[in-house]
Amino acid sequence: MKMNFAKTRYYLSTRFRLILLAGSALTLALFGRGVAVADLVAVGDFNGDGHPDFVLENFGTQQTAIWYMNNNVFVSGLFGPTLPVGGWDVEAVGDFNGDGHPDFVLQGGAGNQQTGIWYMNNNVFVGALFGPTLPFM
């Protein structure tokens, strides 16, 4: 049977299954009790190998994960920190403290224009500061 990779691609590891369906967002399904789905929210080189990696977030549990990539190939993945309750989400990544590691840029939930910077070392949270409050537009 010939697979049509234009419609569906599966990348498997022992813990993660990435499903890429034509016209949909990237999703992460964790094996185990129930199924958790996460979205690709940012890209940055978290392990310092020169290749961009995926940052995934499960909007139901607030769990983050880093997927280490080599071009378009999934290499491995690790869980990142769980985000605080109240609808905080990862909006972007950037090296805010100049340590050579991408950090998470967070924004509060509905009606909360507060931003925050989570300083990261690979997939490990090492500290945080509030950023500016964004104006309502």
Side-chain angles (χ1 to χ4, degrees):
M1 178 175 109
K2 186 175 180 181
M3 293 189 69
N4 184 348
F5 286 106
K7 291 189 177 190
T8 307
R9 290 184 190 219
Y10 297 95
Y11 297 89
L12 299 174
S13 79
T14 57
R15 285 189 90 150
F16 302 106
R17 181 176 60 190
L18 176 66
I19 304 167
L20 175 58
L21 300 174
S24 71
L26 290 173
T27 59
L28 169 71
L30 301 173
F31 291 100
R33 217 190 276 175
V35 175
V37 177
D39 293 304
L40 176 65
V41 294
V43 174
D45 183 11
F46 281 82
N47 58 356
D49 67 354
H51 299 284
D53 305 310
F54 291 174
V55 178
L56 300 145
E57 180 182 342
N58 180 318
F59 293 113
T61 65
Q62 300 297 100
Q63 179 67 57
T64 63
I66 310 294
W67 275 26
Y68 304 104
M69 305 293 293
N70 182 355
N71 193 5
N72 65 325
V73 177
F74 170 79
V75 176
S76 67
L78 291 172
F79 285 109
T82 301
L83 301 174
V85 295
W88 287 86
D89 292 313
V90 176
E91 300 293 335
V93 299
D95 185 9
F96 282 84
N97 56 357
D99 66 355
H101 300 285
D103 305 310
F104 287 178
V105 178
L106 279 61
Q107 182 177 354
N112 181 353
Q113 296 296 100
Q114 180 64 56
T115 63
I117 310 297
W118 275 22
Y119 302 107
M120 304 291 293
N121 183 355
N122 197 346
N123 67 313
V124 178
F125 169 83
V126 295
L129 289 173
F130 284 112
T133 301
L134 302 174
F136 284 97
M137 300 272 198

